[in-house]
Amino acid sequence: MTTLFDSTKTVKSELNKQRYIASDEIATIAYLAQKLGKPLLTEGPAGVGKTELAKAIAGATGRELIRLQCYEGLDESKALYEWEYSKQLLYTQLLRDKLNDTLGKADSLSEAADKLAKEEDVFFSNRFLLQRPLLKAILSEQPSVLLIDEIDRADAEFEAFLLEILSDFQVSVPELGTLVAKHKPFVVLTSNNTRELSEALKRRCLYLFIDYPTLQEELAVVRLKVPDLNPKLAQQAVEFVQRLRKGDMRKSPSISETLDWANALVALNASNLDKNTLEDTISVLLKHEADLQKAKRQYINPPPPPKPRTDEFGKFSGN
Amino acid sequence: MESRILQLISALRASGVRVSLAESAEAFSAVDIMGIQDREEFRLSLRATLIKDLKDIPIFNKLFPLFFGTGTPPMMGGNPSDDMMPEEAQQLADALRQFAESLRQRMERLMSGDQLSRSELEALGQMVGLNQMDDLRYQNWMAQRMMRALAFPEVREALKELMEQLQQMGMSRDRIEQMRNMIQQNLQGMREQIEQFAGERIAENMSEKPRGEGVDNLMNRPFHTLSDADKKVLQHEVTKLAAMLRTRIALRQKRMKSGQLDPKATIRANLKYHGVPMEIKHKDRVRKPKIVVICDISTSMRFCSELMLSFLFALQGQVRKTHAFAFIDHLESISEDFSGSNADEAIQSVLWRMPSGSYNTDLGWSLNDFQSEYMDTLNGQTTLIVVGDGRNNYYDPRLDIFSTMSRRASRTIWLNPEPPYLWHGDSDMPKYAPLCNNVLKVSNLRELAEAVDSLLAG
């Protein structure tokens, strides 16, 4: 059965049990989203654990996770529902005899039409409705967690289409009428901030910005997920990643890349972070050639530091 | 508390953050749930409900402590004479007596280790005209003026003198050092108090400030008379325009049908004919509109290039297949800059990368660049939009390239801030104009809106 969070502390500890380390900020806002019954819009750079958060929430509450991955050109029939035409067609063919039976007894044409009209619902019922993620989340018998991933990839029209669902948790299917959610799903939207989302969508959500973690947070994540890495090396590795992020990279390494790297270090049985190990493994962290070259220049083979100036004027250079 | 939250909300609005009524109502219900005991949770519940954009978070972080305090009152050092020996106190009193009356009072005030009272702060604020200020950029300046009104610099000098005198009078070094530290801390405490007060008062003034003039008025103002705040309002309008442009283009192209069979729709449509395919349904190929924009950001266009660029930015957000180029003396693709989500940053990066010189606009050469590298972006589905005044400094206008371009594109539209009667001198506009499908004058947002309208109506 589903358990809900009853304070920010439980959010934190429950997420922790799902091996997700939530900061106070994440815990507070997630708790608030659940309390207010509002969708949670998380933004932040790629790979900081936005999708993980939704998974962890689903795990912690014991709810089913229903995921909708957005992409350009995503439309209603892929996100919401579709009539299963071939099945409908098959049924019409197979049920022809039965139809003849039903209609055969009719005395007049209009009576037959009436009878047929009564049966009409058979062909437009849930039986022939192919549920896509959104409808599934709404019709689900059990409360669920709906993850709408990378909403910024979908077109602006799709956002508009989501509004009804996000504010009222209902959808209109022309043939069936309005379907209202039995249980309000816990909705998490993620966005990589590649374009600005519409005001209307933002208004309906609570906003959570997840940034790159601090040194301690990231270290905690590494220790939790890669327990085999020795603590000293973990510290060094995380410090190195944090330093890379400060540099001007085309694509800064994300947490997931830090974890990959940590795993790589374990696999290579590295004992400390020397120059060779770094050179061999840094491609796990950086995915752009330009970044790689830069990192090698700046951090692995740094040019000899300029000689400290000893002349009199050197003293004033800071001012 | 409630009125305080409302003030915060209006101050946010005054700083250009869009907070809707629904959101402020939500902030209240969030606060109801989370309570106000935990300051951090209180802050987060307001932030999560009111702020929906990364770039607005710093504004919130600045305003929040101004309305709800920083959580820690400024530390005061205490009164150094509290634990002095009688003879030391006597020395201090003697030393102080040498200063002028007004200065002495101030020094004593500073040494008392008490915080400034509300009424003292009010009086100071009154003195420096704090009540007229409604922009946080003045916070530091105001705080400095208030400190000057307290004669901080003079007092500091005088204190130095005082210490020297005390030393001469034979007070112990440790005692003087201790006194110096205490006074230093008192000074720091007061400074924090003053800064906080100045910020609070300005923020309150901001929240009372009447709302800025309506969008309607702004739309009629020429681009070069707009202030930063106005531009922010307009950027929103510009986004709307771009959305409009997108839907119109999409509609025009959607109506066309291509020959691909849609089996699903065909079966369904022909159920009524007992499955005999009488009506053939085609796939509605939603042809994605493609736009190529070439924007002049040279000196003569600078006043409006920021707005035009934000239009391009919005357009790129709406229409994925937008290729945006900017030119001064050569052409550069700026689509890359616009791939982020922050309009201001993107625009600044473009303007910074392509600084304008004097008299170096060269559209002809830029067209040459276009021909050699980007000609393949133009095809039958492309709408080509040129933004510029066509002032070419008598360089070769390269009409040959331009006519090829306009032939390849399905439509060519020129947006020019100058009306036709100004097209003389170094303007090559009369030569370019016949090659375009439309030439429209766009010098304010209203005209930009009308241009978009008329472009797409036909």
Side-chain angles (χ1 to χ4, degrees):
Chain A
M1 198 39 223
T2 59
T3 49
L4 282 176
F5 309 124
D6 52 14
S7 75
T8 40
K9 297 234 167 35
T10 37
V11 179
K12 221 169 163 177
S13 61
E14 286 297 317
L15 289 183
N16 224 334
K17 278 185 207 151
Q18 300 296 317
R19 293 160 61 80
Y20 186 91
I21 295 183
S23 64
D24 286 340
E25 191 176 329
I26 296 177
T28 309
I29 296 177
Y31 173 69
L32 205 55
Q34 173 229 316
K35 269 292 193 188
L36 288 170
K38 286 269 171 181
L40 181 65
L41 171 64
T42 57
E43 265 189 344
V48 289
K50 300 185 293 288
T51 309
E52 271 322 294
L53 174 64
K55 288 185 188 161
I57 289 176
T61 49
R63 294 176 167 202
E64 188 193 355
L65 179 76
I66 299 171
R67 178 172 178 169
L68 174 68
Q69 171 69 47
C70 296
Y71 51 87
E72 197 185 345
L74 178 69
D75 59 6
E76 273 179 61
S77 65
K78 304 240 174 50
L80 187 58
Y81 71 93
E82 204 171 8
W83 288 107
E84 231 175 323
Y85 300 115
S86 44
K87 201 169 165 190
Q88 278 172 331
L89 209 60
L90 199 64
Y91 269 58
T92 350
Q93 295 293 327
L94 293 175
L95 294 179
R96 186 177 287 169
D97 292 345
K98 187 68 195 158
L99 278 173
N100 282 340
D101 282 357
T102 317
L103 301 181
K105 290 182 200 124
D107 298 330
S108 66
L109 206 56
S110 63
E111 198 187 332
D114 289 343
K115 277 187 173 167
L116 188 59
K118 270 183 210 151
E119 308 292 332
E120 211 170 39
D121 286 347
V122 173
F123 294 99
F124 287 105
S125 62
N126 282 337
R127 198 194 307 266
F128 298 105
L129 205 58
L130 206 57
Q131 294 182 8
R132 302 291 190 191
L134 291 180
L135 192 64
K136 206 167 143 198
I138 282 177
L139 294 183
S140 156
E141 291 295 328
Q142 302 295 330
S144 56
V145 174
L146 173 63
L147 166 64
I148 302 177
D149 214 359
E150 306 192 348
I151 176 74
D152 50 334
R153 279 178 197 266
D155 306 310
E157 292 95 352
F158 184 73
E159 260 177 54
F161 157 77
L162 274 181
L163 296 180
E164 186 188 6
I165 297 177
L166 294 183
S167 53
D168 303 330
F169 296 99
Q170 62 175 40
V171 285
S172 314
V173 179
E175 292 87 347
L176 295 180
T178 307
L179 302 171
V180 185
K182 294 198 178 78
H183 304 277
K184 267 192 182 181
F186 188 111
V187 184
V188 180
L189 297 107
T190 75
S191 155
N192 284 340
N193 223 348
T194 55
R195 72 178 170 87
E196 214 162 323
L197 301 174
S198 71
E199 291 287 336
L201 182 77
K202 287 187 197 163
R203 202 164 57 227
R204 284 166 175 79
C205 302
L206 292 188
Y207 182 77
L208 169 63
F209 183 79
I210 306 183
D211 207 346
Y212 289 121
T214 59
L215 185 81
Q216 277 73 25
E217 284 168 349
E218 188 160 25
L219 194 59
V221 175
V222 171
R223 298 289 296 280
L224 182 73
K225 301 254 176 170
V226 193
D228 296 339
L229 192 66
N230 87 48
K232 202 179 108 238
L233 191 55
Q235 173 89 23
Q236 282 178 350
V238 172
E239 273 169 11
F240 182 73
V241 172
Q242 296 263 343
R243 219 164 63 203
L244 278 184
R245 276 192 203 126
K246 288 205 187 80
D248 182 26
M249 296 289 162
R250 277 180 67 184
K251 161 84 182 69
S252 292
S254 63
I255 303 186
S256 51
E257 277 152 334
T258 313
L259 290 176
D260 287 346
W261 191 42
N263 278 320
L265 290 177
V266 172
L268 290 174
N269 219 349
S271 55
N272 66 359
L273 217 53
D274 55 23
K275 203 162 138 183
N276 284 338
T277 327
L278 266 181
E279 265 178 9
D280 291 345
T281 54
I282 190 157
S283 55
V284 179
L285 281 178
L286 297 172
K287 308 288 166 71
H288 275 289
E289 183 57 27
D291 287 352
L292 269 176
Q293 296 302 340
K294 198 168 176 182
K296 280 184 183 161
R297 260 198 327 272
Q298 284 185 357
Y299 303 107
I300 303 180
N301 291 316
K307 276 189 189 155
R309 287 175 26 184
T310 47
D311 57 337
E312 278 293 295
F313 302 106
K315 279 188 212 163
F316 301 105
S317 59
N319 288 325
Chain B
M1 178 54 72
E2 275 179 18
S3 65
R4 212 66 183 149
I5 296 177
L6 283 176
Q7 276 181 332
L8 171 69
I9 292 172
S10 28
L12 281 171
R13 284 190 184 132
S15 322
V17 181
R18 295 176 63 83
V19 181
S20 72
L21 208 58
E23 281 164 321
S24 50
E26 196 136 301
F28 281 106
S29 34
V31 171
D32 275 347
I33 291 173
M34 300 303 290
I36 50 175
Q37 290 82 29
D38 187 320
R39 200 186 121 81
E40 184 58 14
E41 287 187 354
F42 172 65
R43 189 179 73 87
L44 285 173
S45 31
L46 286 185
R47 203 190 77 188
T49 44
L50 295 175
I51 303 296
K52 303 291 168 71
D53 212 323
L54 177 59
K55 64 175 189 290
D56 294 337
I57 288 182
I59 301 176
F60 178 84
N61 288 346
K62 192 156 173 42
L63 284 173
F64 180 81
L66 296 181
F67 285 98
F68 300 101
T70 47
T72 49
M75 281 288 295
M76 300 305 275
N79 190 342
S81 55
D82 279 353
D83 55 346
M84 275 183 179
M85 303 287 179
E87 63 266 32
E88 282 174 333
Q90 189 54 48
Q91 281 176 337
L92 180 62
D94 287 344
L96 273 173
R97 203 163 300 144
Q98 304 180 11
F99 292 97
E101 174 68 20
S102 63
L103 205 53
R104 196 174 72 221
Q105 279 174 0
R106 293 222 158 91
M107 284 159 76
E108 278 167 351
R109 174 76 188 80
L110 197 59
M111 278 193 278
S112 72
D114 292 331
Q115 294 189 6
L116 293 166
S117 70
R118 201 74 193 165
S119 56
E120 278 176 297
L121 284 169
E122 293 281 356
L124 276 175
Q126 197 83 47
M127 223 186 293
V128 299
L130 184 60
N131 292 336
Q132 278 87 53
M133 294 295 149
D134 51 12
D135 192 326
L136 273 182
R137 276 177 292 189
Y138 296 125
Q139 184 186 358
N140 281 338
W141 182 57
M142 277 290 127
Q144 248 153 42
R145 289 193 55 178
M146 283 167 77
M147 284 188 268
R148 210 166 297 148
L150 268 181
F152 258 34
E154 290 89 342
V155 170
R156 213 186 296 225
E157 280 301 309
L159 279 170
K160 220 191 252 170
E161 233 171 277
L162 178 72
M163 295 296 151
E164 277 163 19
Q165 285 202 0
L166 282 175
Q167 202 170 359
Q168 281 168 14
M169 288 163 87
M171 197 182 263
S172 74
R173 202 168 254 283
D174 287 351
R175 173 63 78 191
I176 291 178
E177 196 51 41
Q178 183 196 5
M179 223 167 118
R180 193 198 304 277
N181 283 340
M182 275 178 158
I183 292 174
Q184 191 61 38
Q185 212 163 3
N186 287 349
L187 261 171
Q188 189 56 34
M190 279 190 184
R191 173 201 296 275
E192 278 169 29
Q193 228 191 330
I194 286 174
E195 275 171 5
Q196 170 78 13
F197 177 79
E200 272 171 33
R201 186 44 58 85
I202 290 175
E204 274 164 29
N205 292 343
M206 267 164 75
S207 67
E208 282 155 19
K209 183 163 78 166
R211 300 292 292 277
E213 59 179 317
V215 171
D216 277 359
N217 277 334
L218 287 179
M219 294 197 52
N220 287 324
R221 296 246 300 272
F223 289 142
H224 56 267
T225 63
L226 297 173
S227 71
D228 283 356
D230 297 341
K231 278 188 184 149
K232 222 170 190 174
V233 178
L234 286 185
Q235 252 168 27
H236 182 71
E237 289 302 301
V238 161
T239 316
K240 278 205 273 187
L241 273 182
M244 201 156 85
L245 190 69
R246 195 258 327 250
T247 27
R248 294 284 181 79
I249 296 181
L251 272 183
R252 282 168 56 82
Q253 300 195 334
K254 218 172 182 172
R255 283 192 210 112
M256 292 187 259
K257 293 212 167 162
S258 64
Q260 214 188 349
L261 181 74
D262 184 348
K264 244 187 235 171
T266 309
I267 292 175
R268 236 182 118 59
N270 290 295
L271 279 178
K272 53 188 167 187
Y273 306 119
H274 220 235
V276 181
M278 310 270 277
E279 270 177 44
I280 302 296
K281 291 280 177 186
H282 298 286
K283 271 194 178 146
D284 262 353
R285 203 169 73 193
V286 183
R287 281 220 243 156
K288 300 244 167 77
K290 272 179 66 177
I291 301 181
V292 171
V293 198
I294 299 179
C295 185
D296 184 349
I297 55 172
S298 63
T299 323
S300 55
M301 290 285 292
R302 273 281 146 143
F303 66 91
C304 68
S305 47
E306 232 172 281
L307 229 94
M308 287 300 185
L309 284 175
S310 62
F311 177 62
L312 291 198
F313 181 84
L315 204 59
Q316 180 146 340
Q318 295 284 338
V319 184
R320 292 265 163 160
K321 292 206 174 79
T322 302
H323 295 276
F325 302 94
F327 73 90
I328 297 174
D329 53 345
H330 67 283
L331 193 77
E332 275 191 42
S333 168
I334 53 172
S335 291
E336 182 89 336
D337 300 84
F338 284 3
S339 57
S341 74
N342 185 337
D344 291 333
E345 240 170 59
I347 292 165
Q348 287 317 318
S349 94
V350 171
L351 290 181
W352 180 82
R353 191 154 57 91
M354 302 179 68
S356 58
S358 51
Y359 301 108
N360 57 354
T361 316
D362 188 352
L363 179 56
W365 184 255
S366 309
L367 290 177
N368 194 31
D369 285 346
F370 187 89
Q371 184 188 35
S372 55
E373 282 188 56
Y374 304 110
M375 204 50 147
D376 56 329
T377 54
L378 291 175
N379 60 28
Q381 296 168 26
T382 320
T383 306
L384 170 66
I385 302 178
V386 186
V387 181
D389 52 6
R391 295 199 173 269
N392 224 355
N393 297 314
Y394 303 104
Y395 289 118
D396 181 1
R398 295 305 298 265
L399 293 173
D400 53 328
I401 302 180
F402 193 73
S403 70
T404 321
M405 284 167 65
S406 76
R407 239 192 351 262
R408 285 183 67 129
S410 75
R411 289 181 77 161
T412 306
I413 294 155
W414 194 301
L415 305 180
N416 192 332
E418 291 181 341
Y421 59 82
L422 286 177
W423 294 353
H424 46 70
D426 62 348
S427 176
D428 282 323
M429 216 41 226
K431 294 180 205 152
Y432 286 122
L435 299 171
C436 304
N437 298 68
N438 299 73
V439 180
L440 296 157
K441 174 184 169 266
V442 171
S443 64
N444 61 30
L445 203 62
R446 161 95 55 221
E447 282 169 351
L448 187 59
E450 279 166 8
V452 170
D453 244 0
S454 70
L455 284 180
L456 301 162

